[in-house]
Amino acid sequence: MEPHYLQHLSHTSDKDAILRELMERYGEDVWHYAFFITRRADAADDISQEVFLSVYEKMLTFRGESSIKSWLLSITRNKSLNVLRSAFLRKVTLVGEVFRKETSPSAEAALFDRLQTRSLWQLVMGLPQKFREVLVLDAYYRFTSAEIAQLLQIPEATVRTRLYRARRKISAQLEAGIEGGER
């Protein structure tokens, strides 16, 4: 159940305890989203810290118009885009890898699973940001089209179009890889 206590906070509330709870509950989501946008683990670390510092400072401004998770990811997105706009990162090649945290029955199965996951994420990370972002919010965070539209501040029809195109691009690349003998 989504806690909506943030909209009922007073200046006497224990903001430290609330921040700790938010970090424990949503910290990984914030970090992963920052990583998906920036493609850099070090940037995701910094952005996550900045997000929770902002949340601590602006905790009393939460209006409850969206879920807390959407609010946090919206802040994360804004801070990530600011980092991408910085002059330093425009000059750096961004590369990243994401591994699934599952156990497998055998070493061979684990290796093939990791290779498959890595190549799929490389395809996703190779998409233009507008496609990658909606795909990650849909597939990884399980947001609805309406929630994605609200978070990205775009029409819901645009979200559905971008999702369709992103999936089509990934499918085409997967088919090309299979036909080319990569799999």
Side-chain angles (χ1 to χ4, degrees):
M1 173 136 179
E2 185 71 31
H4 290 288
Y5 53 80
L6 287 182
Q7 56 190 333
H8 304 292
L9 289 178
S10 68
H11 291 288
T12 60
S13 300
D14 185 6
K15 289 172 61 175
D16 293 343
I18 293 168
L19 181 67
R20 237 184 331 274
E21 181 182 337
L22 291 174
M23 289 173 69
E24 288 171 5
R25 188 175 206 157
Y26 302 109
E28 282 187 38
D29 290 332
V30 166
W31 188 91
H32 284 114
Y33 192 44
F35 177 79
F36 286 128
I37 293 173
T38 63
R39 296 190 240 178
R40 291 181 51 126
D42 59 332
D45 291 340
D46 293 342
I47 291 165
S48 297
Q49 289 177 5
E50 287 181 33
V51 166
F52 286 109
L53 281 173
S54 292
V55 166
Y56 186 79
E57 293 168 356
K58 307 223 189 268
M59 197 177 290
L60 299 175
T61 65
F62 179 72
R63 296 183 303 261
E65 294 173 357
S66 65
S67 69
I68 292 173
K69 187 175 185 177
S70 294
W71 182 57
L72 288 170
L73 292 183
S74 179
I75 295 168
T76 304
R77 179 177 189 268
N78 291 335
K79 293 205 176 287
S80 298
L81 293 176
N82 287 342
V83 166
L84 288 177
R85 288 184 198 115
S86 74
F88 172 72
L89 281 180
R90 281 193 301 243
K91 297 176 184 174
V92 176
T93 303
L94 303 175
V95 179
E97 296 179 21
V98 178
F99 296 98
R100 192 181 313 174
K101 297 178 183 174
E102 284 184 14
T103 59
S104 298
S106 70
E108 293 84 10
L111 174 65
F112 288 122
D113 187 46
R114 249 168 80 194
L115 290 174
Q116 183 179 23
T117 301
R118 182 184 308 173
S119 54
L120 181 60
W121 278 116
Q122 285 174 342
L123 291 176
V124 170
M125 297 302 276
L127 289 173
Q129 182 176 345
K130 66 182 185 180
F131 296 131
R132 183 176 70 236
E133 194 167 34
V134 293
L135 193 58
V136 166
L137 289 171
D138 176 67
Y140 187 80
Y141 291 103
R142 305 270 187 228
F143 279 3
T144 64
S145 294
E147 290 172 322
I148 295 170
Q150 182 182 9
L151 180 70
L152 301 180
Q153 298 176 346
I154 58 176
E156 193 172 343
T158 303
V159 170
R160 288 191 297 269
T161 301
R162 287 181 183 177
L163 274 172
Y164 172 77
R165 290 180 179 164
R167 290 176 181 141
R168 194 174 66 191
K169 286 178 181 282
I170 293 292
S171 294
Q173 290 177 346
L174 286 172
E175 287 176 17
I178 291 171
E179 291 172 4
E182 288 181 17
R183 304 208 186 269

